[in-house]
């Protein structure tokens, strides 16, 4: 089962179960985590300070293409869209999890709606899990179309070309 969480809920879950860099690999046959962070600001600081066999950390924003702009207060901002390389990283990571027999995953982004929703929906299909159960467990998701498109493109390239 794939669970999509907000950053706050993910960190709370990890803290309740005392899961951190020092001990997360002990859970590698039990669960995996895909952590999606904003490229700037508060939601850019990861819970896990490094990748592990069962933890993948990525940085991209909830947008379809890279953007720069100026806020009303005069500050500049940049947004980075998910790349094909990051989609490949997710695909390869899921392959490893499947090979290890692990199909319980936690995917988080800042809000637990769009980016992580797309990755969670893709992972559910990838593991041939119940889409109905996934949507009952994760009713808040509204998958980011760009993220889902990139992941499906990688799947297509790996299996059908």
């Amino acid at each position: 089962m794939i669970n999509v969480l907000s950053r706050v809920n993910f960190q709370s879950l990890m803290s309740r179960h005392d899961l951190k860099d020092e001990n997360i690999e002990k859970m590698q046959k039990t669960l995996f985590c895909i952590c999606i962070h904003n490229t700037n600001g508060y939601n850019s600081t990861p819970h896990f300070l490094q990748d592990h066999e069962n933890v993948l950390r990525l940085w991209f924003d909830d947008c379809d293409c890279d953007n720069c702009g100026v806020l009303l207060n005069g500050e500049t901002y940049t947004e980075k869209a998910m790349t094909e390389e990051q989609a490949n990283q997710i695909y390869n990571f899921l392959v490893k999890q499947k090979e290890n027999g692990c199909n319980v995953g936690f995917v988080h982004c800042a809000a637990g709606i769009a980016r992580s929703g797309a990755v969670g929906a893709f992972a559910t299909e990838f593991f041939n899990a119940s889409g109905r159960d996934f949507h009952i467990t994760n009713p808040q998701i509204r998958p980011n179309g760009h993220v889902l498109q990139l992941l499906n493109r990688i799947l297509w390239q790996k299996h059908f070309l």
Side-chain angles (χ1 to χ4, degrees):
M1 174 49 89
I2 307 299
N3 299 280
V4 176
L5 302 169
S6 68
R7 177 179 196 250
V8 169
N9 289 341
F10 177 79
Q11 288 184 313
S12 175
L13 177 71
M14 295 297 111
S15 294
R16 274 196 317 274
H17 294 282
D18 195 34
L19 295 173
K20 48 194 169 198
D21 283 296
E22 296 77 21
N23 63 7
I24 190 65
E25 287 186 1
K26 292 178 184 173
M27 304 295 291
Q28 110 181 32
K29 298 283 186 192
T30 308
L31 66 88
F32 66 84
C33 303
I34 299 176
C35 307
I36 304 167
H37 307 286
N38 293 356
T39 57
N40 295 297
Y42 171 72
N43 289 313
S44 63
T45 306
H47 175 80
F48 294 106
L49 301 178
Q50 61 189 45
D51 290 338
H52 297 275
E53 288 294 318
N54 57 336
V55 174
L56 176 64
R57 302 169 315 137
L58 299 163
W59 280 263
F60 59 89
D61 298 304
D62 191 13
C63 56
D64 295 343
C65 60
D66 293 355
N67 294 306
C68 295
V70 179
L71 300 172
L72 292 175
N73 65 4
E75 289 182 44
T76 60
Y77 70 89
T78 59
E79 294 178 316
K80 297 287 185 183
M82 180 188 196
T83 65
E84 193 166 321
E85 178 183 330
Q86 290 169 319
N88 258 310
Q89 286 179 283
I90 291 170
Y91 175 84
N92 293 332
F93 180 79
L94 291 174
V95 167
K96 282 185 188 176
Q97 302 316 305
K98 197 172 194 177
E99 288 171 354
N100 288 338
C102 184
N103 61 0
V104 174
F106 294 96
V107 183
H108 88 80
C109 64
I113 296 172
R115 293 170 291 173
S116 56
V119 172
F122 178 82
T124 297
E125 292 277 329
F126 185 83
F127 285 104
N128 297 316
S130 168
R132 183 178 184 276
D133 290 346
F134 173 74
H135 287 288
I136 289 170
T137 303
N138 304 287
Q140 79 285 5
I141 70 161
R142 301 292 178 264
N144 175 302
H146 172 71
V147 171
L148 205 49
Q149 180 183 34
L150 280 177
L151 290 167
N152 284 322
R153 182 182 309 152
I154 297 301
L155 179 68
W156 179 262
Q157 289 170 353
K158 301 273 186 185
H159 290 277
F160 303 109
L161 292 182

